[in-house]
Amino acid sequence: QLSDILSDMDIKGYQFAGLLEGELHGTLNSKSGAELAATLFVNQGTVDMASSVLGLQRIKFSRITSELEMHNHFLTIKRCEIDGHRAQTNFTGKITLMNPLGESRIRIKGALRIIGTDNNASSTDRSVLATSLGNMSYRISGSFNQPVFTLQ
């Protein structure tokens, strides 16, 4: 379970759930740092957030597919695709890992495609999503604890 793996990490305002699988290859060395490559999948997951993004505080997805590389404290997201019932996104980027993890620096660029609206969302949230139908580009910067989302 994804929540078991992430429970000890200090990322404030987020709760994760889902089934994690994949492959991880590399070396961990206290002198030279980490050299890792991973292909990871998360199935039937959710992310609960303290702050809403596009009017959403819970994001449900059917699958995440990602290819990652890590060199020392620098994580490169070579490819990440998230498929959900109402939206799909893909992105690439870099994360500079810090201690605590919530202070890690994020630089992500991606594209979001809204498939439909959530009939259970408030009328304000539905109007935000409805006017956003189609493809949108976005950036995420800041840190895990204080992310900055920008639509382009």
Side-chain angles (χ1 to χ4, degrees):
Q1 290 289 336
L2 188 60
S3 58
D4 295 338
I5 294 168
L6 298 176
S7 64
D8 292 334
M9 296 183 182
D10 185 19
I11 304 175
K12 298 175 182 154
Y14 298 91
Q15 290 186 331
F16 303 92
L19 299 173
L20 176 66
E21 60 182 277
E23 295 182 16
L24 180 66
H25 303 279
T27 59
L28 293 172
N29 185 315
S30 61
K31 293 181 183 177
S32 62
E35 298 290 327
L36 301 172
T39 302
L40 301 175
F41 307 95
V42 180
N43 294 301
Q44 303 307 318
T46 59
V47 179
D48 291 314
M49 302 171 290
S51 307
S52 67
V53 175
L54 290 177
L56 302 172
Q57 284 197 269
R58 170 175 269 198
I59 297 174
K60 293 182 183 181
F61 56 87
S62 52
R63 184 161 176 93
I64 295 177
T65 303
S66 61
E67 292 178 30
L68 312 167
E69 288 183 352
M70 189 166 92
H71 302 284
N72 294 318
H73 297 288
F74 301 99
L75 178 67
T76 300
I77 303 165
K78 295 174 67 173
R79 175 180 70 96
C80 186
E81 299 171 357
I82 303 174
D83 294 315
H85 300 291
R86 294 183 183 89
Q88 296 172 326
T89 186
N90 61 73
F91 59 87
T92 60
K94 296 188 181 292
I95 299 173
T96 303
L97 300 172
M98 309 291 274
N99 189 5
L101 190 60
E103 297 302 317
S104 298
R105 306 306 301 166
I106 305 168
R107 291 187 323 261
I108 291 175
K109 292 181 186 178
L112 174 68
R113 186 169 80 90
I114 303 293
I115 299 168
T117 60
D118 183 350
N119 292 329
N120 294 323
S122 72
S123 60
T124 303
D125 293 345
R126 276 198 310 272
S127 72
V128 167
L129 289 172
T131 59
S132 303
L133 289 174
N135 292 321
M136 296 178 287
S137 295
Y138 63 89
R139 287 181 188 252
I140 305 173
S141 57
S143 68
F144 287 124
N145 287 347
Q146 295 183 324
V148 176
F149 297 90
T150 307
L151 293 177
Q152 300 178 318

